[in-house]
Amino acid sequence: MEARLIALKLFLDELNLDCDISTVQDRKRFQKAVFLGQMAGAEMGYRYGWYLMGPYSPALTRDYYELSEALSVDDEDVEKYSLNSSVKSLLERIKPLFSVPPSVNLAVEDWLELLSSILYLEKVSELDDDTMREKIKTEKPALVDHIEKGSETLESLNLL
Amino acid sequence: MQLVKTINDPVHGTIGITKLEARLINTKAFQRLRNVRHLSLAYLVYPSANFSRLSHSIGVCHVTGRLLESLRKNSPNLALDEKEEQLYRLAGLLHDIGHYPFSHPMEDAVKNYCARKKVLVETSSSGEGVSIGKYEYYNHEEVGAFVLENDPEIMAILEEERIAPRAIHSIFNREDPPRFANLISSDFDADRIDYLLRTAHHTGLPYGKVDINYLIGQLKAGDFDGTTWLYLDHKALKAADHFLLSRYFDNHQAAFHKTVAGFEWMLKEALQGLLENDLIDCDVSAIRQKIENQTWLQFDDDHVTHQMHKLTEIKGADEVTKLLTSALITRHPPKQLVEFETLAKKGEAPFGDKKKLVGQLVKSYAEEYGLDERLWHVWSKTVSPTKVGAHFRFDEVDDIDQDKKEQAIQVFDQHKQRPMPIVTMKESLMSVLSNYEYNALRLYLLLPPEKEGLLQEIKDKVFQALH
């Protein structure tokens, strides 16, 4: 298996996420996990743009399908490697993001969409707080009630 | 558009270009593409398949112009002005300007090297790996964006014409894709049209003989559900099926040809060796520096080939990498020991067990014959005829990732009165074929010259073990 795919698999393993991509929600979780990891400094080289479900990387899509294909026949190569300690500690820091707070009534994938969207709009698109809220309100009405909690969670990890 | 100059092209005939396009073609950064082969190593098998990214890029600019002409004619309410038309033509012309030497194999090698250096550590080693941020890479679209924003000649021309580089690279990079980005990047785009025609012309393979003129003539645009869609008229459905099928066969005969694929494996190993031995540097900062100080202009296939020669002479460099590199330079292909192929329903992974068995055989025979495991290569491929069909079943098509959905060929559905992905239309061949995948598994071996006599014996043993 190619090194970049091994790195991707170990990245997800480290966050205790599986690499299943059967459903749209699975693929969304994958996309947002890598985005959040990269924003925390664990750079994997994927470039993100803004799509319907928030930050999305076409290159990552290509790679996770390739990974899924590779894993279906062989996962022995993965055992030859582990993530280096810097990446591990950066990912350790963002693990709390993957638990939905009790006050938030969202599936974990939707919670991750919200966090990634806030982060993308504020850090990548460099929108001010009001414009970010307005955009989420217009494009993602189902998430709008939880913007406050999302921003607070990101701030608590110094990501915002 | 005022097409003030003409270029003769073996694929499209006489191509007209604007004054601005002519100026950009004459820049050194664009002329560099003359020395970046479009099909990488395919010319080692098809002797004339050595056309460059320069001729392809001019072709893509021309085809983009033809597609826009059709849109203007078939959808007169589009409000497509000359400025917008020029931007799409420029995106076609410049979409490959950031390609590394040897194109995709180099990009893959860089990504893998980056993953090894930056993210991974071997479990057998006691080290912790290098610290994060030590090595980053650009993909070729990002390099392209950087060239447009930093190459002095290109910057000066665009500034004079009051064109922001971002207006061009946002089209080919699909950054917040503008309304017609699919003209440059989709299942039916100027890039793929030129590629198919040009590959057929230069390889001599017959798969470029599709009804491209008819397809181009049936392209339309319209607003549905608040989005502008590019789509083909329903009467072009059969021609669209044929186009996708032709691409499928073209891939088999060119990129997946057994010898081309074997050379590509060796090329990736050689490139890995160049990166490991600091004979090339593709870190983000090095690439930026190359572009800024213009040494990027010499960073082409010839330069990398020259560095490969150097690698074979370095004392202390890894001997297996040197052997693979020498074999590549002297056009000494690896031998295919065995191949399995089948068409299967998606997701079946028909060769899963076989691949594990092949892996075990490699370990065992490598030891028995004293042939390093890295001289063996297990190649596997799963391919479907359509981009959408490559990953999704027909009944899941409404759930696909938005980006992929937007890039599928859209054909006007007369019952629904709107464009729909071709794979959802029961009368299309693709609605059936997209549920299937071609699966292939091969085992290659590069024998050192002194062990070439072992080939038949090893081949027989592998055959017996796997059948």
Side-chain angles (χ1 to χ4, degrees):
Chain A
M1 197 188 301
E2 302 214 24
R4 70 180 200 283
L5 303 180
I6 295 173
L8 204 50
K9 160 84 172 123
L10 293 172
F11 192 99
L12 269 278
D13 285 352
E14 191 64 27
L15 293 170
N16 302 317
L17 301 173
D18 68 43
C19 295
D20 188 12
I21 49 163
S22 327
T23 67
V24 174
Q25 289 291 80
D26 291 334
R27 299 194 284 275
K28 185 158 87 175
R29 188 182 59 238
F30 207 129
Q31 284 277 349
K32 308 315 176 203
V34 173
F35 177 76
L36 291 166
Q38 290 200 156
M39 292 302 284
E43 184 54 57
M44 296 285 283
Y46 295 105
R47 186 171 45 81
Y48 278 77
W50 180 260
Y51 285 81
L52 273 189
M53 293 180 188
Y56 173 88
S57 164
L60 176 60
T61 303
R62 278 196 295 277
D63 278 359
Y64 59 56
Y65 282 115
E66 217 175 298
L67 173 65
S68 164
E69 220 171 274
L71 287 174
S72 70
V73 289
D74 177 23
D75 57 4
E76 285 175 18
D77 290 346
V78 178
E79 288 157 21
K80 295 178 191 160
Y81 293 93
S82 66
L83 295 179
N84 71 34
S85 54
S86 312
V87 176
K88 277 186 182 175
S89 64
L90 288 164
L91 294 182
E92 186 63 36
R93 185 177 146 222
I94 61 159
K95 278 184 185 171
L97 298 178
F98 295 83
S99 308
V100 185
S103 61
V104 175
N105 183 25
L106 288 177
V108 67
E109 295 80 8
D110 299 331
W111 169 244
L112 295 178
E113 178 182 348
L114 173 67
L115 296 176
S116 307
S117 299
I118 296 172
L119 211 45
Y120 184 92
L121 294 174
E122 292 217 356
K123 290 285 182 182
V124 182
S125 301
E126 297 179 344
L127 300 184
D128 59 45
D129 201 54
D130 288 345
T131 320
M132 175 275 286
R133 282 168 195 272
E134 199 48 48
K135 194 164 168 78
I136 291 183
K137 198 172 155 188
T138 321
E139 295 185 19
K140 302 172 186 297
L143 304 180
V144 76
D145 289 346
H146 308 291
I147 293 179
E148 210 61 56
K149 189 68 188 168
S151 298
E152 191 186 296
T153 308
L154 291 167
E155 275 165 16
S156 71
L157 296 175
N158 294 323
L159 290 168
L160 264 188
Chain B
M1 303 291 314
Q2 261 209 308
L3 305 178
V4 297
K5 286 190 181 267
T6 55
I7 295 174
N8 285 324
D9 180 77
V11 176
H12 302 292
T14 304
I15 288 177
I17 52 168
T18 65
K19 194 175 162 197
L20 170 59
E21 289 157 4
R23 289 181 74 193
L24 288 165
I25 288 170
N26 284 330
T27 59
K28 294 185 199 78
F30 191 84
Q31 289 296 317
R32 169 187 170 270
L33 295 178
R34 203 177 279 286
N35 291 321
V36 179
R37 288 187 191 89
H38 193 254
L39 295 181
S40 193
L41 297 175
Y43 75 101
L44 293 176
V45 174
Y46 300 101
S48 295
N50 57 358
F51 61 92
S52 70
R53 289 205 174 262
L54 182 138
S55 55
H56 165 67
S57 297
I58 294 171
V60 175
C61 174
H62 169 72
V63 175
T64 307
R66 290 197 57 200
L67 292 168
L68 287 163
E69 215 173 279
S70 263
L71 284 184
R72 200 192 289 280
K73 190 173 135 221
N74 296 335
S75 308
N77 298 326
L78 276 181
L80 177 67
D81 62 24
E82 284 204 356
K83 197 177 168 196
E84 190 179 6
E85 188 175 348
Q86 180 64 92
L87 281 179
Y88 285 107
R89 285 179 60 104
L90 290 179
L93 184 70
L94 300 169
H95 77 288
D96 273 352
I97 198 142
H99 254 294
Y100 292 100
F102 290 108
S103 305
H104 296 288
M106 170 72 100
E107 203 167 318
D108 286 346
V110 171
K111 284 179 189 170
N112 288 327
Y113 178 68
C114 183
R116 279 203 198 96
K117 278 276 177 194
K118 199 176 67 164
V119 183
L120 299 174
V121 56
E122 284 187 43
T123 40
S124 57
S125 81
S126 53
E128 287 292 292
V130 296
S131 62
I132 191 95
K134 183 88 176 170
Y135 204 100
E136 291 177 68
Y137 69 87
Y138 276 147
N139 61 35
H140 72 270
E141 290 97 347
E142 288 165 318
V143 178
F146 196 81
V147 170
L148 295 193
E149 290 185 357
N150 293 277
D151 177 81
E153 270 186 294
I154 292 180
M155 274 167 68
I157 293 170
L158 294 180
E159 208 171 300
E160 215 175 286
E161 299 284 338
R162 296 178 182 278
I163 293 174
R166 189 183 159 78
I168 300 170
H169 64 70
S170 69
I171 299 173
F172 64 71
N173 274 349
R174 298 187 72 80
E175 301 153 359
D176 300 322
R179 60 178 181 161
F180 299 138
N182 277 6
L183 291 175
I184 309 296
S185 168
S186 68
D187 254 357
F188 180 67
D189 64 12
D191 190 8
R192 282 170 175 76
I193 292 171
D194 185 81
Y195 169 87
L196 186 65
L197 300 178
R198 203 166 292 279
T199 303
H201 179 84
H202 288 278
T203 55
L205 295 168
Y207 304 111
K209 291 189 174 50
V210 290
D211 206 349
I212 292 289
N213 292 333
Y214 186 70
L215 280 167
I216 291 176
Q218 298 307 317
L219 188 71
K220 297 179 175 179
D223 289 339
F224 299 90
D225 305 332
T227 306
T228 304
W229 291 90
L230 289 176
Y231 62 93
L232 293 165
D233 191 275
H234 187 264
K235 59 190 177 192
L237 186 138
K238 303 289 186 294
D241 262 342
H242 189 202
F243 175 75
L244 289 170
L245 212 50
S246 298
R247 275 184 53 77
Y248 175 79
F249 285 117
D250 172 84
N251 276 333
H252 279 271
Q253 297 303 320
F256 306 155
H257 182 284
K258 71 171 175 142
T259 312
V260 175
F263 277 129
E264 190 174 305
W265 157 57
M266 289 160 62
L267 173 63
K268 282 189 188 177
E269 293 297 317
L271 295 171
Q272 196 65 36
L274 297 184
L275 290 160
E276 296 284 355
N277 288 281
D278 295 326
L279 287 167
I280 52 172
D281 188 355
C282 294
D283 180 70
V284 159
S285 56
I287 294 294
R288 280 170 177 251
Q289 198 180 23
K290 279 185 177 59
I291 293 166
E292 280 161 357
N293 67 20
Q294 303 226 290
T295 51
W296 171 253
L297 306 173
Q298 288 95 50
F299 190 52
D300 55 20
D301 288 8
D302 291 348
H303 171 76
V304 171
T305 305
H306 179 72
Q307 297 303 86
M308 283 186 205
H309 281 279
K310 275 192 186 168
L311 175 65
T312 61
E313 288 157 13
I314 291 181
K315 281 184 186 153
D318 176 68
E319 288 303 324
V320 175
T321 309
K322 282 165 72 169
L323 185 63
L324 288 162
T325 309
S326 296
L328 180 64
I329 292 169
T330 54
R331 204 207 166 275
H332 185 74
K335 298 297 175 195
Q336 181 182 292
L337 300 177
V338 71
E339 179 185 40
F340 299 95
E341 298 174 288
T342 189
L343 269 177
K345 278 260 188 192
K346 277 195 179 150
E348 281 185 1
F351 298 135
D353 292 340
K354 206 151 251 172
K355 193 170 178 186
K356 279 180 189 156
L357 185 55
V358 170
Q360 288 160 6
L361 287 182
V362 168
K363 279 195 180 80
S364 140
Y365 294 155
E367 198 179 327
E368 185 180 336
Y369 290 101
L371 292 163
D372 195 290
E373 277 186 44
R374 286 174 302 151
L375 293 170
W376 307 69
H377 178 59
V378 183
W379 183 94
S380 63
K381 199 57 90 179
T382 303
V383 194
S384 179
T386 68
K387 200 172 232 184
V388 174
H391 303 304
F392 300 90
R393 295 202 321 270
F394 163 72
D395 54 2
E396 282 180 330
V397 81
D398 284 338
D399 282 335
I400 62 176
D401 293 346
Q402 185 65 13
D403 193 50
K404 288 278 166 292
K405 189 173 182 175
E406 285 173 6
Q407 290 180 64
I409 289 189
Q410 308 284 329
V411 178
F412 195 78
D413 186 316
Q414 289 159 317
H415 303 291
K416 294 184 174 140
Q417 283 295 301
R418 58 156 298 147
M420 293 295 292
I422 189 170
V423 294
T424 66
M425 308 184 83
K426 300 252 185 208
E427 65 272 42
S428 77
L429 201 54
M430 288 304 141
S431 71
V432 177
L433 293 184
S434 63
N435 293 314
Y436 290 85
E437 290 169 330
Y438 164 82
N439 296 267
L441 176 66
R442 297 176 190 158
L443 177 61
Y444 289 98
L445 171 64
L446 181 77
L447 282 165
E450 69 278 11
K451 293 196 174 179
E452 278 181 353
L454 291 170
L455 178 65
Q456 199 52 49
E457 184 184 329
I458 296 174
K459 216 172 173 175
D460 290 344
K461 270 186 143 175
V462 168
F463 185 86
Q464 279 162 19
L466 293 170
H467 288 85

